[in-house]
Amino acid sequence: NAGVTQTPKFRVLKTGQSMTLLCAQDMNHEYMYWYRQDPGMGLRLIHYSVGEGTTAKGEVPDGYNVSRLKKQNFLLGLESAAPSQTSVYFCASSHTGEQFFGPGTRLTVL
Amino acid sequence: GQQLNQSPQSMFIQEGEDVSMNCTSSSIFNTWLWYKQDPGEGPVLLIALYKAGELTSNGRLTAQFGITRKDSFLNISASIPSDVGIYFCAGQLSGGTSYGKLTFGQGTILTVHP
């Protein structure tokens, strides 16, 4: 089992550009989450999904959109990137308790 | 939203020393989790606590779920260089519309000098 995988690992964008981050899990988990990690602030929840076809807002959803068309995939989109979205993005999945994290995507917006 | 205060923010210790860090919350949680993050990787679960007062060990790591359900601590005994990393506490509510969501502390950066 690969667990939780994320693509790409690194990306540099210019302000205003768009991109999609892909998260995939092979553990048949119902719940999936997107976090951003900034220095000194821990991990903050952006959006989450409780099952295929569902999405919900987390703590810091502004500027991001998500989709869960297939149970194993959870996509995070930035329609118009801003420098404030420079961060490390983590995807996680869970059944009910422990969340399993992917390796992260480091995004820089210039 | 809910806030978790994790302390200390950073620690610089000598190999062999014991380490202690803690988390406090303004709200109660049903589950406390402790994660470790190595540089360039995602967090990995170290210990999960499910019951107030519970004391759980995992090798050299020991964690406790506070009686009030608003705090937790993690101890690392006889630290070694590979203990270096960022340690996060996380609180979780169960049932209802919680959907397994976690609230994270700010992290404790641990540096171990050989």
Side-chain angles (χ1 to χ4, degrees), chain B residues 29-40:
Chain B
F29 289 107
N30 302 119
T31 300
W32 281 94
L33 304 167
W34 285 91
Y35 283 85
K36 183 193 178 196
Q37 183 180 25
D38 290 327

Side-chain angles (χ1 to χ4, degrees), chain A residues 32-36 44-49 55-67 74-77 90 92, chain B residues 101:
Chain A
M32 295 187 74
Y33 314 85
W34 274 107
Y35 294 90
R36 60 177 290 170
R44 293 182 293 169
L45 184 64
I46 304 172
H47 285 281
Y48 64 101
S49 168
T55 63
K57 294 181 180 180
E59 181 185 354
V60 288
D62 294 343
Y64 305 95
N65 57 76
V66 288
S67 64
F74 195 28
L75 280 65
L76 177 71
F90 288 100
Chain B
K101 288 181 288 183

Side-chain angles (χ1 to χ4, degrees), chain A residues 38-105:
Chain A
D38 302 295
M41 302 189 73
L43 289 94
R44 293 182 293 169
L45 184 64
I46 304 172
H47 285 281
Y48 64 101
S49 168
V50 302
E52 182 178 319
T54 74
T55 63
K57 294 181 180 180
E59 181 185 354
V60 288
D62 294 343
Y64 305 95
N65 57 76
V66 288
S67 64
R68 182 104 180 263
L69 298 179
K70 293 182 179 180
K71 185 177 184 178
Q72 63 268 34
N73 296 336
F74 195 28
L75 280 65
L76 177 71
L78 287 73
E79 290 188 349
S80 180
S84 61
Q85 294 176 305
T86 293
S87 188
V88 182
Y89 292 86
F90 288 100
C91 175
S93 72
S94 77
H95 177 55
T96 55
E98 174 188 359
Q99 288 185 18
F100 295 83
F101 285 82
T105 296

